[in-house]
Structure formats: structure tokens, C-alpha cells
Amino acid sequence: MVNNQAMKYIADLHIHSRFSRATAKNLDFPHLYMAARQKGITVVATGDYTHPQWLDEIRQYLEPAEQGLFKLKDEIAQECEKQISVAGDDPVRFVLSTEISNIYKKGGVTRKLHHVVFFSELSHVEKFNARLSQIGNLKADGRPILGLDSKRLLEIVLETHESGFLIPAHIWTPWFSLFGSKSGFDSVGQCFEDLSDHIFAVETGLSSDPPMNWRIRDLDNRTLVSNSDAHSPANLGREANLFDTKLCYDAMRSAIQTGDPEKFLGTLEFFPEEGKYHQDGHRKCGVNLHPRQTIENSSICPVCGNPVTVGVLYRVEQLAGRPEGEKPEKTHPFYSLIPLAEILSELLSVGPKSKKVIAAWQTVISRLGPELRVLHDMPVEEIRASGNGLLAEAVERMRAGRVHRQPGFDGQYGRVTIFTPEQREQLTGQQVLFDLPAAPEKKKPKPGKAKTPPAEPEPAAKSTGQQPPVTKNPENPVLAGLNPDQYRAVTHADGPLLISAGPGTGKTRTLTCRIAWLLQTRAARPEQILAVTFTHKAADQMKQRLFRLLGPDAVLPEARTFHSFCFSLLKEIKNTADHSIADEQDRRALLAEAADQVKKQGGQISDRIETLMDRVAAAKQQILGPDDDLEPIAGDAALVFSQIYGTYQDILNAERLWDYEDLICQTVMHMDSDPALCEVLRKRLPFVFIDEYQDVNYAQYRLVRQLCPADGQICAIGDPDQSIYGFRGSDPSYFQGFKKDFPDAEILCLQQNYRSTEAILSAAGQVLGQKGGSRHSEPVFSGISGTPHLHLIRAADQRGEAVAVGKTIEQMVGGMGFDFHDFDKAAQLTGDGAQRSFADFAVLFRTRAQAEVFAGVFQDAGIPCRLASKAHAWEAAGIAEPVSALKILAGCAASRDLIRVLATLFPDFPKKDMADLKAWGRRRGFS
């Protein structure tokens, strides 16, 4: 707890969670805490407490602090502090808040307003949410949409608890706000009627500042607050409030309600010109108008002839009761700031999200303190004395309002800069920004060991829409058609090799060509090669490719799954040809028998058989036996679990059985206890290939390390961003640590994708977080054109997802009625002007349960559909003549993608012409 005396602090009272639309995925409490510390914000809104999942996280991450405030739990806060570096140790507190969207009719007009609602206790929030859940769906969005009059919402707030209060949000936004030109009111009284006195504060929003609001007499004696409405941690505090009170809910509420200038000290503001609705205009037409120009043009766009979107300035002029520059009797100070990243971006002439700016931003806050303190009240001389001369000059000019403003309009943010290009060039020559840490030197590549290739391929082309060159060597089918990256991997001379390969980049082809190249050049004999995969299907595909590459008379190397290889090895090592493998039914029965035996001996067993099965598998994946420390797996039940595990193993041995996880676990244990065995296997199999290396678990990793010395001939391929076997203990960190395990390894990256369009690759790259995420390889490219944009749908549950997809289909066919406006919207959505019917769409699912939900929603909406299983993919895809009309809604860009899906499901699926397609359908019994 902090000292209970009055203190000066900054509060941002309006933000969102990741459960709201168009918000960052890292919008969670740890990241909010870290951002608040770095920004210098003491009180942060929780946001979105109406959303059930976010409310659960409020309970999970926060605990009560001072009256009506919450703090991050100590252990979590300590972990967060390890991840940031900022001068000072100011506390961070959270206050319960949410934003609610009200859409309703009043006075014959559709009204759309957003409001922020505050409470001091979770019990009040729970009561409030219970009331709202009877009115609308709180699960669909962090900012719930309710068909509820704003006055009625205020009544519910007041009825819930006397501590609750409501502040109209961003009151000037044209589309959703109290004074919005499109759907708002002309006064507070029109909206809240006899309850207007309970509205003692309004939020000005990014597109207006206090002087603009001072012109509105209806706002006299109402406190003007400013908040970020942040949709990401990075935007926290872009507007905020200044307090000098005790750090508690009641003191803050009182300061806002009374507007006491000694307690509510004013606001930190965007320059209003940066707001995306400051002036009037049309973004599509590139028309940006001052209200005077709008009036001269009769509010019509001079380019397209349609009405312009009027902004805040225009709306202020409409409602103003005072001339510009005149103040009401009671006002508070305000301070217009430019975010530090934007200042640094201008000074460094790079983007605000560039690595250079991020490094500079981190340097500033670690040396000087939190961002808002540096921008707002740190003496300029203190900034200059720290060696930041140019930054000090920029801050001084910003505080004096000596900036250059390019106003935002029609949803497009404006831009405020401090220096002209000439001023910046002149000042840069006179002063330094700060001594940034030097960038690490790039390591020089080691001289290659490979022999001179017969024909060196050209460098890979970048994603320009053209296909990069391929190696032309028709005499050698092993090398023919390889792109430059694949060529380098296939012809790698010797030593460890890791191939980082994104989706669709030809992993299996590269691996099999590498094996064929070794055999072709006589660098290896077939019996010296072991190729390990995760599935029998992948092993069979590898054998088929090698057969095609090497010819029918070639002797093929071993291509096995991990478990198949270990099964044969265990039989050889233990000379136990009579052992077999226990299937899932056997495992369940034997484990139940083991549990019964332990129970009869007095063991207290509360776990289900499925839980015990999972624990046994996890133990064996970690190479742990019954006598090892099993507490990390079983917790307090470790002792009893150890007894069950040991009894289960005794039964397996008695029955001459190995379960699935035994195969690798026992192989590793034997090799651990017999170094000579490792040497024998390393000499027998000096060339080891591992497919999908990102999916190995600890046991498989240990097996690989035993088979392969640090300087061995191992070739691993995969993509750590495609790890799918987490339920079996897989860990992509083994992939990422390959260089540590094999120090002389060469690491190559396959970058050309042969499967997807550029739009899909671009979207996938953003999801994987190529800049700062876990991605190990370089971004992939394909040069395949297609639909330029993908549409991302966020839904609360499967039904919400189905409704969204159904609406998209309905829009793309022009609606269910005969409104020509619907057809116009359909043309905009499809982009190619083509007319579509319901037969042109297919929806692909991961599970049968999803399909049934979709089918029910579609039937309710009157969308005709057929539900089919994997065995009837012909019907599921809705194939009809012509096949070229098919489009896949959920990710497939053209009919060739559907053909590829069907070809994967059915090995005999024809790909040539319609006659073959029809014949195949008749053979399969399809209509």
C-alpha cells in the first residue's frame, strides 16, 4: 500500500481489453502494468469488466489495494519488473471501468453513443453485469452493444450502487458519441433528461481539446476529462488526467465530480489536430476541409458529390454558445503533448515503430524516467544535461505549442510535427540526440565447406509478383527445379544442417532430394541413413519420392517414425521378439488394474483414469521412471501416482507389453546406461534426417542427441511456428537451440512458398509476429497473386463465428431480398464484380461439432446448405459445374485450393478435366 496522504499522479480512465474489437492481443494486465510503469501512469482503468472472460482475469490477476482500487498481484508484478527498465518505482493501480455502446431510437432518430461506467467494488460490477445480461449479450464483445436508452443505462448505474458513475465517452466523435453529428444529441439534457445532473463529467476525446469544449455552455460546471481509449498497451496515456488527492476511488470520484482545481489538476492532451475526426472531408477522395470550406461547398465533397463527413470543429461551431477564445468561469489547465515515440521518430527520420525508435525510447525512460514525466514536467535543462540536446529542444518547442499541424479528417489521424526538414537538418548538425547503444556487429559467415556446384543458382528473388529463378539441370532429376535456397540445402557438403522452412516451402522435397543427393554422390550408402518422421504417412511419402528420384532398382534408406524406429531397436537391444505394443484400450484397462491394486493397499486415489494416463505419458516423455521425482507432474498426489505408475509398469512387463511412450523412453534409458551402444548406433547410422524438428519432445530430443554427435551428419528441417504436438510435450525451443547443440551447424532458410497467395502470407506473417515474435525463419514469399485482402473475424463463441460467416455469405450474394443497395455492397465485398449464388461457397471446419453449429445457424437464417463428413468431401465442397466457379470462404482463394484439399483427402482424385472428375464421382458413389 502507498502512503495515504494526498499525492500528485496521472490517471488513464478509459481503455479496453483484448476481448474488444480491433484491440491488440497483448492487451492483458501484465502488459498494461508494464506500459503504465513506462509511461508514468499511476491509475489505469481495467476496461471491459462486462465481458465474462475479462472479469475472470480481473479476479485472477488483481487484488484489492487502496479503497476502490486494485493492484497486480505481487508475484506477477515482480516478474513484470524484470522485463522493463525505467527510472523510478511509482505504483500502478487499477480502477473498475467499462465502455458500453448504446444503440437505440429516440425522437425518431437512431442514436449511437458510448459511455464509460465506473464502480468501486467487484460485487457492484457483478450486480451491474447481471442487470445488463438480461438486456443484451455481454459475451460477444468487450464493449457490449445494447439496445438501451442512455438515460436507462444511467438509471441502472445509479440503482446498482451509489459509488457508480457514468461519463459520456469521446463526446464529439461523429459516429458514436453524445454530440456526434451522425447520431448524437445537441445537449446533455436531450440525452439524459431529468438525470442530467448526474452527468458531472464528459470525455473530450482525441479530436478536441478543452478550449473547443469551453465554447459549449451546456458543458459549464462539468469536468472535462481526457483518456486514451487505448486499444493497445502502447497507446496507454496518449491522453490522461492529473490528480492531487489521496490514492483511492472516492477521492478521485470527488475530484472529478466537484472539479476542485486543487484536486483535479487538468488534463494531458493530444494536439486535437491529430484526432482522426478533427476537420471535415472524405478520406477516399483525399478531401480535407476546414468548416469554412465545408459551409462554402454546402457540405458536399467537391470530388464525388456526396455529403462529406463533418468533424469536431464543424460540430463545435454548430453548438457553440461562445466565440472562439472565450472561457467559462470555471476551467482547468491542459497540456498538449506529442507521444515520445513520435518525437523520436521525427528526430531519427524513421518510423515510430522501428527498432531504432524503440531502442531510443527505452534509453530515454531508463535514464530519465517515465515517458509522461519527461514530456510534461521534467525541467528541460535536466533533459539537456543528460546528453539529450535535440530531445530537450523538441520538448521545449512542444510545450510552447510551436508545432506544425496537419489536421485529421474522416477517420484518418492527423499529424503534428515539431521541426521543418530544414530546422531539423540545421539542429542535427549542432546537437546530439543521445548516445544510443551501438548496434551489434553482424557475424561474418564462415567459409563454406561445399564443393563448387556445377551451376551456381542466382540469388532468390524477393516478393515482386515474379517467380524466382530455379536450378535448370534436366540431366539430374535430384537438382532439377530446385530454387536457390533448396539447392544450397540439398548440396550442403558435410556437418550439421538445420533447415528453417516456412509453410508450403517444399520441406519434404528438400529433405528427400538431400538424401538422394548423398546417395547419388556416393557420400553415403542407403544402410547408413536414417530418416525420422512423425507419421507413417510422411514416411511413406518420403519413400515414394525417393523411389521416383532414384529409380525402381535403387536400394532405399530407412524412413521410419520415431516410435517405429525405437520399437525395432528395443527388440534388437533386449532380444525380445515376443513383445508387442499396448493400444489405448489396453493402457486404460491396465492402468485401472494398477490403480485398483494401489487402492486395495490403502492408497487414496481421486484422479480419473484419463488423468492418470496423461500423467504416465508426460512422465515417460520426460524420461522419468516411477522412482524419480514426479511432483512437477502430479503435485501433491505424486506419492500415490508413483505407486500406480510402478504397478502399471510391472503389469506391462508381466504381459510383455510396451505402451506408446515406452518405445522412446526405454530406448533412451538403455542408451544412457550403455555408451557403447550409442557408439555402435552412431557408426551404423552416421546420417540422420529429422522431419518436422519443431515437434520433438524431450524424449525424442534426447534420442536425437544420443544418435548424433555435436559434429555429426544430422539434417533437421521444420518451422518452430508450426509446432502442433504440444499435447505430447513438443517444445520448439529444441529447434531454436540447434546451434547450441551443434555449434558448427549451418542454418539455411527456405523462403519461397509454393502454396499460398501473397495476401495469405502477409496475414500469416503478422499473426506469427515476424518482428519480435517467435518466428525463427525469414518471412516467406510466393509471388502468387490473388485476393488482396483477408478478413479476420473475432467471435465470442462458435455460434457467433457462424453468424458472422453467414452474414458474409449473405452480403456476397447480394442479400436475401431485392435491395439493389445490397448488390452494390456485394460487389464491393467480392471485388471482381462477379455475381455469386449460395452454391459458390464452401465452409471448411476443423471439427464435426463446429460443422453442426454452422449448419444450424445457416438453416435458421434461410441459407441453403449441405453438411458432409470427410468421407463425402465431394458433397461438402458443393462441387457443381463449372468447377471453376468454386470459391472457398475460409481461407482458400481459388478453385485450385479446393482441388488441392480433395486431392489430399482422396489419393485417386483426378486433376485433369471434367470428364475424369465425373467418372471419379461415379466410382465414389456421389451424385
Side-chain angles (χ1 to χ4, degrees), residues 197-211:
D197 288 345
H198 293 279
I199 303 299
F200 48 77
V202 295
E203 182 184 81
T204 58
L206 302 182
S207 294
S208 77
D209 61 5

Side-chain angles (χ1 to χ4, degrees), residues 117-120 124 157-158 161-166 249 253:
V117 179
F118 301 86
F119 286 106
S120 61
H124 308 160
V157 172
L158 299 175
H161 195 269
E162 60 183 8
S163 70
F165 64 103
L166 179 152
Y249 180 92
R253 185 187 190 280

